[in-house]
Amino acid sequence: MTPLRTALTSLGAVGAVGAAAALWGVGIERYLFTLRRHEIAVLPPGSPSVTLLHLSDAHMAPWQGRKQRWIADLAESVQPDLVVNTGDNLGHERGLDGIRNAFAPLRGVPGLFVHGSNDVVAPSGRNPLRYFSGPSSHSKTAGRLDTEALDAYLTEDLGWTALHNTAASLSVAGLRIDAMGVDDAHRDWDDLDAAVDALSALPDRDAPRLLLGVTHAPYRRVLDRFTAVGADVLLGGHTHGGQVRIPFSPKALVANCDIPLDQARGLSEWSVSGRTVPLNVSAGLGHSIYAPVRFACRPEASVITLRAVPDSSERPPRG
């Protein structure tokens, strides 16, 4: 075989592999919704277990019926005690239509939520290769979404609590759960001082409880501050787990924020000021309508079973 023919054969093989990968990522894997299950011992000794459903990055468009049905089925298959939604629910100007279909069965389940930027501004077309050069910039021409309608649905219809630069308390399965959250750190909308001040203002802070730190974009500054002031569990989204990964690699190729690439998806640990706490970063349920692909990174929701710490164990000291 001549060198030219060898080169052409190699190029053909590379092209065939690339086409197969694109077909898989665009036509198959982005519909392979999956549940990631974790267990964490963080509750006060003797507490009943709590099933936490972590949803993120639905980027919903009204025509995405398969995704809507899969999310809706979670109410029955998971039977969560608490839902935490880490934002970017909308992926289209009429995305709330799909969110209503998806979330309706979760009505009445205690819930917490924060915004991602795609709860406020519509997605826009851009070169996806730019993500490999660092965190994405913000389009100056993107249209506004109906954030007020989204928030009204989540709070008034579903009964969930917003955590945008504030804190709140819930009673879940007879357990007090405190939570602090911030607006989208990727847009610099986070106000950590306001969230911590709101936490300090909650009544009876010395009562046995669980403290959650909730953010859309898991930037280091947010995770560090939440950990330092006493969060027991950290929850974030935004990264899409990298969205396109090298199969079986523990690291994402990109995270679209400053979190370490090996912590851009799944359960890990975050340490600061002598404290180490669990961190769950959801790879999310969707993608921009302008980048409809998932490769080696299936769309997901997380089910986290929170269990009591054994009596003989010690929880990390709060700051």
Side-chain angles (χ1 to χ4, degrees), residues 11-28:
L11 286 173
V14 170
V17 171
L23 177 63
W24 174 265
V26 174
I28 299 175

Side-chain angles (χ1 to χ4, degrees), residues 5 8 19 52 72 78 89 120 136 157 164 177 179-180 219 231-232 255 261 306:
R5 180 172 294 180
L8 291 175
L52 187 158
V78 174
N89 292 282
V120 180
S136 60
D157 198 335
H164 305 125
I177 294 182
M180 55 183 168
Y219 277 82
D232 297 300
L261 294 177
L306 306 175

Side-chain angles (χ1 to χ4, degrees), residues 72-93:
D73 287 344
L74 294 176
E76 179 63 28
S77 62
V78 174
Q79 298 187 7
D81 300 304
L82 174 67
V83 179
V84 178
N85 180 317
T86 48
D88 270 4
N89 292 282
L90 305 180
H92 186 273
E93 291 179 353

